[in-house]
Amino acid sequence: MRIATYNVNGIKARLPRLLEWLEEQRPDIACLQELKSSDDTFPEAEIRAAGYGAVWHGQKGFNGVAVLARGRDPVERQRGLPGDPDDSHSRYLEAEVDGLVVASIYLPNGNPVPGPKFDYKLAWMDRLIAHARTLLAEEVPVVLAGDYNVIPTDADVYSPAAMADDALMQPQSRAALRRLVHQGWTDALRARHPVGPLWTFWDYQAGAWARDAGFRIDHLLLSPQAADRLADAGVDRAYRGREKASDHAPVWAVIAD
DNA sequence: ATGACATTTGCAAAATGA
């Protein structure tokens, strides 16, 4: 099965692009981020007409995540990341599809550094690490898919110097991502493509797409039971170059049946 | 240095993003 993650940057503005991608690439599971839509304005009918069942966790104006499944309805397991009852952001949704546990993650950006937004990012990552440990303990196939807003290494950015002060590549952000991965998760994209640029995001500004000035922040982390079945992974780069594109490209992995 | 650029809300310009 093909599972993908796509930060759509506004599902209402991006709906034609999203439906086009679903029809052309036919992912079995699609995790979406940055819906920027409240629950009652989620375009459920259009997505169902495209052949997908969906669960979603929306929020007015910003954030918002969803899990789509082709030809079936995802079974919701967890709405919101556990660990802080005062966290009102819609950034985590976990569902089960055909025996696979999948989470759609929109990790906080954290800029500017330092500041309360960066503190929130790091605290959120600590909560994700704690929850991910409970998922690993289930010893089932799990995919944690989403926009992590962390550039894992200097090889994952067009210019480490240009981004040096950004929350996405602070040592604390990278260390937290390493703590997560080192629990036993496999970075699907790097497992299949160990070296070289693999951008998943290009800023709208300063001609970043034209200059191929991107970085890699959208990740699919696989539990051992999913990693054993990893057949392929990649980035649907071309969708970043289309009209009215999101600033992210879809990222996908194929898990053998 | 600032803003660029895009989206949403709501109808102007601010908030948010990365």
Side-chain angles (χ1 to χ4, degrees):
Chain A
M1 72 163 45
R2 177 180 296 254
I3 177 166
T5 180
Y6 190 8
N7 179 321
V8 294
N9 188 19
I11 196 166
K12 291 189 283 286
R14 208 69 57 217
L15 192 56
R17 194 90 304 140
L18 172 64
L19 296 175
E20 171 187 76
W21 171 71
L22 290 174
E23 181 176 330
E24 292 175 358
Q25 301 302 321
R26 299 175 62 81
D28 296 290
I29 300 174
C31 297
L32 309 181
Q33 301 87 33
E34 277 208 89
L35 304 179
K36 298 186 175 181
S37 166
S38 53
D39 280 337
D40 56 356
T41 54
F42 183 84
E44 178 185 17
E46 291 87 342
I47 285 171
R48 189 164 290 281
Y52 285 81
V55 293
W56 59 94
H57 188 202
Q59 184 164 6
K60 187 176 178 179
F62 70 128
N63 300 328
V65 288
V67 177
L68 278 50
R70 190 157 62 88
R72 33 210 196 290
D73 288 311
V75 178
E76 184 173 317
R77 285 174 45 117
Q78 176 70 39
R79 172 173 295 243
L81 186 63
D84 181 0
D86 295 328
D87 183 4
S88 60
H89 289 202
S90 298
R91 296 182 175 276
Y92 186 91
L93 186 62
E94 180 184 305
E96 184 258 317
V97 180
D98 278 357
L100 180 72
V101 175
V102 55
S104 183
I105 291 171
Y106 179 45
L107 206 146
N109 169 309
N111 280 304
V113 180
K117 291 187 174 180
F118 190 57
D119 296 340
Y120 172 64
K121 176 185 191 130
L122 296 179
W124 204 94
M125 293 186 80
D126 282 342
R127 289 164 54 204
L128 178 61
I129 289 165
H131 184 61
R133 187 172 290 114
T134 71
L135 292 174
L136 277 183
E138 296 189 36
E139 299 190 334
V140 298
V142 183
V143 180
L144 303 179
D147 175 1
Y148 281 71
N149 271 317
V150 178
I151 297 167
T153 74
D154 284 357
D156 296 307
V157 56
Y158 73 101
S159 166
M163 295 290 289
D165 296 330
D166 197 285
L168 277 58
M169 54 174 273
Q170 291 309 296
Q172 300 101 307
S173 307
R174 287 178 165 178
L177 182 62
R178 284 196 301 273
R179 286 203 304 279
L180 173 62
V181 171
H182 290 172
Q183 290 178 333
W185 300 92
T186 295
D187 177 342
L189 211 46
R190 275 298 178 215
R192 290 290 300 171
H193 308 283
V195 295
L198 281 170
W199 312 150
T200 71
F201 170 90
W202 298 257
D203 202 295
Y204 286 123
Q205 303 180 56
W209 169 249
R211 296 186 293 124
D212 197 23
F215 36 90
R216 187 172 80 94
I217 54 175
D218 300 274
H219 310 304
L220 294 135
L221 298 188
L222 312 185
S223 73
Q225 293 77 12
D228 285 346
R229 294 160 50 188
L230 176 62
D232 202 1
V235 181
D236 287 336
R237 264 181 75 102
Y239 291 85
R240 178 61 181 85
R242 298 197 181 180
E243 287 298 312
K244 293 282 287 179
S246 170
D247 40 7
H248 295 250
V251 183
W252 53 268
V254 173
I255 309 294
D257 293 331

